[in-house]
Amino acid sequence: MLKIEGLFLELDGRPILRGLELEVAEGEIHALLGANGTGKSTLAYTIMGLAGYRPQRGRIYFAGQEITDRSVTERARLGITLAWQQPASFEGLTIKEYLEIARQSGGTSPTIAECLELVGLPAANYLARTLNEHLSGGERKRVELAAVLAMNPRLAILDEPDSGIDVLSLADIMEVIRGMNRRGITVLLITHREEFARAAHRASHLCAGRVLKTGEPEEVVRFYKENCKRCDHVNEPELEQLEGQR
Amino acid sequence: MRKAVELDYSKEFAAIARAYEQSGGDAQALRDHRFGSLVVSGNHILGLNKLPGLEIEVEELADGIKAHIEVEPGAIIAQPVHLCFGLLPKEGVQRIISHFKVGPGASVRFLAHCSFPNAVKVQHIMEAEAQIGAGAEMEYNEAHFHGPAGGAEVYPHARIAIAEGGRYRSEFKLIQGMVGRLDIDYEVHLEARATAELLAKVYGKGDDRIRIKDSLYLEGAQARGLVKSRIVLQDRAEAEFAGEAVGAAPFARGHIDCTEILRGTEAKAVAVPKLTVVDERAKLTHEAAIGSIDKKELETLMARGLSEEEAVETVVRGLLR
């Protein structure tokens, strides 16, 4: 469904993505595992086509079409969406309005009330609330997942949906993601939490802007634990050494 | 000339009622005796309804009206009091001189709608004073509807004094039609434990000129105040926001919060917060954000399928709500 070839991106003269290759199959939850600063969020923004994240080299294909030069809106209308790690606040916009916007492209998606219930937020308590007031970080992230459900995209890029979530709720969030996937949404799950990666169908390990390993989650997690956590140079790892272990 | 409880169902009333609805008001409330109301077209008093505990005395002037609105001590006016001001001709002046007195422990909420749908050269001048008694509450929401010509000049000036433990909240909204020229000057004096919140939302277009000056004088211990403005500017519109707070008493708290969004390259925004502390135990803060719409907000909406223009409209609509 998603194929990335030789993606190279510099930000402020500094290489962030360095010849990145990645394939995400239709219908899977694909975890992207990596330490802080390895380019995970940058890759998410580049796939979504955000301003300032146009690759200098490489190609992105979605459902057989090249989308490297497409706008954010065009990509969204093709069926790609992104849930930010730190969602925007949107002064004055109610959760109901926000989800209705997402649902405009949602086709046969659940109702907005159902979307909220699916992420563990009682609709009666949340629909009228605004996004910038009285929502905890965890609640805001759940609303973001509800927006993805309402949009019902073909591919959802979830940028660290587990960050800012209390430990007791992590299993709930993973269940929401599995439910999303059962509804036919392919998920690219960005995380640095091993247990989240293990719950995916496949995983890739990102280091210094390149995918070093793709495979069974357990195998990739082991690779990550054995190598990346011992790396002293998060943004400048000894790639050659790691590549020898692929 | 003083008028008793009565309504004038003239064509003029019907016309001003239509304008009232254009500005977001509920014209039925102007005819409903359960609601306190005052309807003024130019300098004509078209409608007036008092309620138990709510006294309204009003007289016509050559270029407007003079009103004394008083809420008896302890009176709780459960339904909002509707104030409808408007001027339907293309040219003219409407001066509203008002004095509000809210007795100790009383509570009242005003919904004021001001309509100038045909304004080519219209001045609307509001000179208001309000005295809010100890432990009393007053809310004043004012929404404007101006026509497309940009010929309105609006000067809402008010001086508000809040006694100990009193509460005041105002919201001024001018987001429909062209602003023309707007010059808001509110000055609020707060005694001990009094609170005030002043909010202004304005959408400037064309050659609109907007000036907002909101001042808080936190003169009593533990007085608290918030001044908040949300301004969106496009075309060649210009705005200046001057929020001022003076912390002159122990544990007084004041905050100035201004957001101005520019659409296009010709609009201009200025924010001038001024904080003065004369008691070391007082604390004042401010935040100002001027610039284009937050990129992440736009891209989030675009990632849900909205076009950039639709995303901008959505963000602006929320900000000015």
Side-chain angles (χ1 to χ4, degrees):
Chain A
M1 169 170 271
L2 178 73
K3 187 175 182 186
I4 296 171
E5 291 179 350
L7 207 62
F8 188 93
L9 176 78
E10 273 188 9
L11 294 175
D12 299 324
R14 187 168 146 249
I16 306 295
L17 304 180
R18 302 193 262 200
L20 186 140
E21 309 268 343
L22 178 70
E23 283 195 44
V24 177
E26 183 160 12
E28 72 174 351
I29 300 176
H30 191 117
L32 191 63
L33 191 66
N36 290 328
T38 53
K40 301 189 301 298
S41 293
T42 298
L43 175 60
Y45 301 160
T46 307
I47 297 169
M48 197 66 240
L50 305 189
Y53 292 88
R54 186 188 166 83
Q56 282 82 29
R57 292 202 300 274
R59 297 271 185 270
I60 304 172
Y61 298 91
F62 176 70
Q65 297 183 55
E66 187 182 348
I67 60 166
T68 319
D69 298 323
R70 299 284 187 101
S71 70
V72 180
T73 302
E74 287 173 325
R75 293 178 202 217
R77 289 178 181 173
L78 283 172
I80 305 175
T81 199
L82 166 65
W84 271 253
Q85 184 183 352
Q86 302 282 344
S89 60
F90 293 109
E91 183 166 336
L93 201 63
T94 64
I95 290 172
K96 181 171 185 278
E97 290 167 321
Y98 184 57
L99 298 185
E100 278 172 346
I101 287 166
R103 200 166 184 277
Q104 282 173 14
S105 344
T108 57
S109 60
T111 67
I112 54 173
E114 287 167 346
C115 292
L116 280 174
E117 302 285 349
L118 285 168
V119 300
L121 300 177
N125 297 347
Y126 284 89
L127 282 173
R129 290 167 74 171
T130 56
L131 287 164
N132 65 318
E133 284 181 306
H134 314 309
L135 284 183
S136 70
E139 288 173 315
R140 181 67 187 89
K141 294 199 85 150
R142 285 171 189 262
V143 170
E144 210 58 18
L145 292 175
V148 171
L149 283 165
M151 184 179 169
N152 195 27
R154 298 176 69 186
L155 171 66
I157 307 164
L158 308 181
D159 191 1
E160 299 198 21
D162 47 336
S163 72
I165 298 287
D166 63 89
V167 175
L168 295 175
S169 302
L170 284 173
D172 295 346
I173 294 296
M174 195 59 226
E175 190 45 44
V176 169
I177 295 166
R178 283 198 196 98
M180 195 179 274
N181 183 246
R182 283 196 293 271
R183 288 173 182 276
I185 300 171
T186 302
V187 176
L188 178 58
L189 173 61
I190 294 174
T191 186
H192 51 190
R193 198 179 289 271
E194 293 161 19
E195 60 269 36
F196 261 55
R198 283 195 183 97
H201 299 110
R202 285 199 304 153
S204 291
H205 173 223
L206 184 67
C207 185
R210 295 174 73 171
V211 171
L212 296 187
K213 190 171 191 67
T214 294
E216 292 295 319
E218 194 58 53
E219 187 187 353
V220 174
V221 166
R222 194 181 323 117
F223 179 85
Y224 172 61
K225 286 174 75 173
E226 288 174 359
N227 296 284
C228 213
K229 288 192 172 176
R230 287 196 273 113
C231 175
D232 293 331
H233 311 94
V234 168
N235 288 310
E236 299 292 339
E238 296 169 14
L239 276 174
E240 290 174 5
Q241 179 196 338
L242 290 174
E243 282 178 344
Q245 300 175 47
R246 292 172 82 171
Chain B
M1 181 178 73
R2 292 188 178 176
K3 293 208 170 184
V5 179
E6 61 183 30
L7 289 173
D8 179 352
Y9 293 103
S10 65
K11 286 182 182 175
E12 194 173 6
F13 183 92
I16 202 76
R18 277 197 301 277
Y20 186 72
E21 290 194 321
Q22 282 179 307
S23 64
D26 174 10
Q28 289 302 319
L30 303 178
R31 298 182 171 94
D32 189 331
H33 279 250
R34 291 173 299 176
F35 294 93
S37 64
L38 171 62
V39 183
V40 178
S41 176
N43 69 335
H44 299 144
I45 301 162
L46 302 182
L48 171 61
N49 192 35
K50 306 175 190 180
L51 294 174
L54 173 70
E55 184 63 32
I56 303 175
E57 290 185 1
V58 60
E59 61 183 294
E60 292 178 353
L61 308 173
D63 59 354
I65 60 116
K66 184 176 180 180
H68 177 80
I69 300 174
E70 185 164 344
V71 183
E72 289 176 6
I76 307 296
I77 309 299
Q79 301 293 338
V81 178
H82 292 255
L83 305 176
C84 171
F85 303 123
L87 196 59
L88 299 178
K90 292 179 180 176
E91 298 187 4
V93 175
Q94 184 181 54
R95 183 187 305 274
I96 307 290
I97 299 172
S98 55
H99 181 244
F100 297 86
K101 187 173 182 184
V102 183
S107 174
V108 63
R109 180 160 65 103
F110 294 96
L111 294 181
H113 290 265
C114 305
S115 302
F116 311 100
N118 310 307
V120 174
K121 191 177 179 184
V122 163
Q123 276 195 344
H124 173 73
I125 301 160
M126 187 182 93
E127 298 167 9
E129 280 195 9
Q131 291 173 275
I132 299 164
E137 293 182 2
M138 174 174 164
E139 184 172 327
Y140 193 91
N141 295 311
E142 180 172 349
H144 278 241
F145 175 72
H146 295 186
E153 293 183 15
V154 175
Y155 300 95
H157 292 187
R159 188 181 188 284
I160 296 126
I162 312 171
E164 183 172 349
R167 298 162 70 90
Y168 174 75
R169 183 182 185 280
S170 72
E171 179 174 313
F172 180 95
K173 195 181 273 192
L174 205 175
I175 58 175
Q176 298 182 80
M178 302 290 283
V179 173
R181 185 181 183 90
L182 171 66
D183 185 334
I184 295 178
D185 192 339
Y186 275 29
E187 180 182 314
V188 184
H189 294 260
L190 297 96
E191 293 182 9
R193 290 185 296 284
T195 63
E197 184 179 334
L198 310 179
L199 173 60
K201 297 187 174 187
V202 184
Y203 197 162
K205 311 173 194 78
D207 292 301
D208 289 342
R209 293 293 178 267
I210 298 154
R211 178 179 170 274
I212 298 174
K213 183 174 187 293
D214 284 335
S215 305
L216 295 171
Y217 293 87
L218 303 156
E219 293 160 349
Q222 298 178 53
R224 290 170 187 269
L226 168 68
V227 168
K228 188 170 168 180
S229 72
R230 296 291 180 264
I231 302 167
V232 178
L233 302 168
Q234 66 181 50
D235 307 322
R236 297 159 305 281
E238 294 184 9
E240 178 178 331
F241 169 76
E244 179 176 10
V246 178
F251 310 110
R253 297 286 182 268
H255 184 67
I256 311 285
D257 173 3
C258 168
T259 296
E260 295 183 74
I261 286 180
L262 303 181
R263 299 178 65 179
T265 56
E266 295 182 89
K268 182 181 171 186
V270 178
V272 188
K274 183 180 176 186
L275 306 180
T276 306
V277 174
V278 294
D279 185 298
E280 64 178 1
R281 291 163 292 179
K283 184 176 178 181
L284 305 177
T285 51
H286 75 85
E287 59 185 298
I290 301 181
S292 56
I293 292 175
D294 183 78
K295 178 170 159 276
K296 187 195 274 187
E297 292 184 7
L298 287 186
E299 288 183 328
T300 299
L301 295 173
M302 291 161 70
R304 305 284 180 260
L306 295 194
S307 68
E308 184 171 355
E309 190 58 29
E310 290 168 337
V312 168
E313 289 300 329
T314 301
V315 173
V316 166
R317 195 171 64 240
L319 194 74
L320 294 179
R321 171 166 294 149

